[in-house]
Amino acid sequence: MQAPAPLGPVPGSRWPPSRKKQGVTGAAVHFCSLVLAHAPDLVRYGSKPSRAAEEFDALRRRLRGYEEAVAYGPNQVFIGNLRPEELWDVARPWWKTPVSNPRPLGPFGVIIPQDELYQRMAQADRFQLFQLGASTPGRQDAVLYRDGSPAGVMRAAHDEDQSLSSAVLLENLTAKATGVLALERLLAGAGLSPSSLDFVIGCGEEAVGDRYQRGGGNLGKAIAEQASCGKASGTDVKDFCAGPMQALMMAGSLVSAGVFGRVAVVAGGSLAKLGMKYAGAMKSGAPILEDCLAGFAILVAREAEGTARIRLDAVGRHKIGSGSGQQAVLRDLVEAPLATLGMKMRDIAKYGTELHDPEVTEPAGGGNVPDRNYRMLAAMAALRGEIGREEINQFVRHRGMPGFSPTQGHVASAVPWIPHALGRLKSQEISATLLMAKGSLFLGRMTELADGLSLLLERC
Amino acid sequence: MHELSGKRAIVLGERDGVPGPAIAACIKTAGALPIFVETECFV
């Protein structure tokens, strides 16, 4: 019996192409939008507050109004009206030091009030489940509030399917609506029509599906549809907090390989995380600072002058066999990609890491997470002999930044730095930045591993 | 003999600090037996 022909390249074929040049350069970040939707009446539906109904009266008294949220320094940084480093010089607590002349509109972002969020959720709802003005909630439904008074109903889509409960649908609809806002702002900011996008990659932490496919997903395409991107399709990428970096890597790869010309990475806010640290706030007398849903959109296309090249030839990935210690993580995310490019840690002017607002985590005993991450970077630089131990504080100050993201999770993981970085790369204030994100895979109880991904952006 | 030798340990790690598996690996070298290892995410 004749042996089957071996698989592989056909003699004379030019496949596979040379690995040296294929798909490693040519993609760049062109624009990034960041949005905040103030949602004090949705804090009650955050995961933690929803499990503490007996404390909700006290919690309600700590909710901020829209003007107060707009004037909060970290939120002004988020939309680009302040540089992150300006927070170093603002007296803590920042919530006691409102910004003078705050604006809800920034160079790359916007802070919308709750009423506008509710309108957008109604527009994004294709199944008439989000009913403003309705007054007869069923047993399975959730009441919508405005200033603490009933204002409507979020209907469940099924009596028994928990994946279509009112709580899950509310979470997914807020993610969709804020993702749409971010994508619309991206297109407007980049001067593009919705029909110019080829593909949209969603990377939020929600789960869209029903009981037979709880995480079926593709909120990315649903967001693109709502934003009238009729020539695009989409998909979702999931990696907990590291989802956006993974999605950005994939968007860059698609563009670099010539599969698509313009790809948007998009995510809406995480309703589940609203009010997560409310107990710390109540103990310290602070307002509930986790009252805004954050969203973002990033445009990736072929590199051009003024854009930020994604160095796809030096992606840092936390490998399965590397081990979980911080040194192993930083070896994979920082040392390895820099070594590939022949760079030192001091060649990176600014690092973007987990940027959650410390005023949320410190009263709750969680410490200052951005500071912790920057100190570990500085410690690695000291271990490598690039800086002295006495220069660690200086490293943190000059190459790091204070945290300013309203919630932890996918949005906080390096993303809020991106539009600031784009401006500084374009103006040549910096020549490169390293974005680092970590994903807590262990939370899903399928692995004890975390994940991590880093991407280097450089001036084109 | 190290004070951890022969002891059973419950290990709670932090993703942005010292993760659980890293702590477990350390205490094993001191002769302890991790019976529960978990990493959380500053929640």
Side-chain angles (χ1 to χ4, degrees), chain A residues 194-383:
Chain A
S195 60
S196 63
L197 274 187
D198 299 311
F199 205 70
V200 173
I201 304 178
C203 53
E205 295 184 275
E206 71 294 322
V208 173
D210 71 1
R211 57 184 154 188
Y212 294 109
Q213 37 271 325
R214 290 182 307 105
N218 209 348
L219 191 64
K221 187 165 183 176
I223 289 172
E225 175 197 24
Q226 188 63 28
S228 304
C229 301
K231 297 207 173 142
S233 187
T235 191
D236 280 352
V237 165
K238 296 292 183 192
D239 193 11
F240 287 83
C241 306
M245 282 305 112
Q246 294 276 7
L248 188 54
M249 174 187 68
M250 291 179 196
S253 303
L254 289 168
V255 167
S256 181
V259 178
F260 297 124
R262 289 198 187 95
V263 180
V265 171
V266 67
S270 179
L271 173 62
K273 294 185 177 67
L274 288 186
M276 185 195 287
K277 300 286 196 284
Y278 81 88
M282 284 173 50
K283 206 186 321 179
S284 67
I288 305 296
L289 300 173
E290 297 160 300
D291 59 355
C292 289
L293 292 156
F296 68 87
I298 307 169
L299 177 64
V300 180
R302 297 294 296 184
E303 54 181 76
E305 191 177 337
T307 63
R309 181 183 300 117
I310 308 171
R311 289 305 297 259
L312 294 170
D313 53 343
V315 173
R317 69 195 194 282
H318 182 204
K319 298 188 285 292
I320 290 168
S322 290
S324 63
Q326 294 300 340
Q327 210 163 335
V329 173
L330 291 177
R331 207 175 293 132
D332 281 350
L333 298 193
V334 180
E335 281 195 322
L338 292 184
T340 298
L341 299 174
M343 295 172 79
K344 303 283 186 196
M345 286 186 71
R346 285 186 304 175
D347 292 324
I348 301 295
K350 278 288 195 192
Y351 291 82
T353 70
E354 225 281 354
L355 293 171
H356 190 23
D357 182 356
E359 298 210 318
V360 174
T361 50
E362 283 172 342
N368 185 333
V369 178
D371 183 74
R372 209 148 63 215
N373 276 283
Y374 284 121
R375 281 188 188 283
M376 283 191 279
L377 277 169
M380 167 140 273
L383 268 177

Side-chain angles (χ1 to χ4, degrees), chain A residues 277 324 326 373 438 440 442, chain B residues 15-17 19 39-42:
Chain A
K277 300 286 196 284
S324 63
Q326 294 300 340
N373 276 283
K438 287 181 264 188
S440 302
F442 46 81
Chain B
R15 188 200 76 183
D16 284 17
T39 301
E40 292 297 345
C41 185
F42 58 93

Side-chain angles (χ1 to χ4, degrees), chain A residues 1-8:
Chain A
M1 184 169 153
Q2 195 173 16
L7 296 172

Side-chain angles (χ1 to χ4, degrees), chain A residues 33-224:
Chain A
S33 67
L34 292 174
V35 300
L36 292 175
H38 186 231
D41 284 299
L42 290 179
V43 171
R44 65 173 66 223
Y45 292 121
S47 178
K48 196 76 177 217
S50 69
R51 288 175 279 128
E54 70 283 359
E55 290 191 82
F56 197 71
D57 278 344
L59 190 159
R60 271 197 58 215
R61 289 193 282 275
R62 296 303 179 87
L63 294 171
R64 296 184 295 188
Y66 174 66
E67 289 74 21
E68 201 180 337
V70 170
Y72 184 53
N75 289 348
Q76 286 291 303
V77 174
F78 198 84
I79 61 172
N81 287 333
L82 294 175
R83 290 164 62 102
E85 297 87 341
E86 291 185 65
L87 289 174
W88 293 131
D89 300 322
V90 178
R92 294 276 306 268
W94 296 321
W95 57 267
K96 273 189 178 176
T97 318
V99 171
S100 52
N101 303 314
R103 286 163 287 141
L105 198 61
F108 46 73
V110 66
I111 307 173
I112 65 169
Q114 182 174 277
D115 276 347
E116 183 177 341
L117 171 65
Y118 278 179
Q119 287 303 320
R120 286 180 165 273
M121 290 172 71
Q123 289 161 7
D125 172 32
R126 299 287 178 127
F127 294 85
Q128 295 82 48
L129 298 169
F130 182 84
Q131 298 175 1
L132 289 173
S135 57
T136 52
R139 195 172 52 86
Q140 312 272 14
D141 301 334
V143 176
L144 300 169
Y145 292 87
R146 181 182 282 119
D147 297 327
S149 299
V153 176
M154 179 78 220
R155 305 281 179 200
H158 198 282
D159 287 344
E160 296 166 355
D161 185 352
Q162 287 305 302
S163 295
L164 295 174
S165 68
S166 55
V168 170
L169 291 175
L170 189 61
E171 180 177 342
N172 291 346
L173 193 60
T174 53
K176 182 183 178 185
T178 45
V180 171
L181 173 63
L183 185 55
E184 288 174 348
R185 302 280 323 167
L186 178 84
L187 293 168
L192 292 174
S193 70
S195 60
S196 63
L197 274 187
D198 299 311
F199 205 70
V200 173
I201 304 178
C203 53
E205 295 184 275
E206 71 294 322
V208 173
D210 71 1
R211 57 184 154 188
Y212 294 109
Q213 37 271 325
R214 290 182 307 105
N218 209 348
L219 191 64
K221 187 165 183 176
I223 289 172

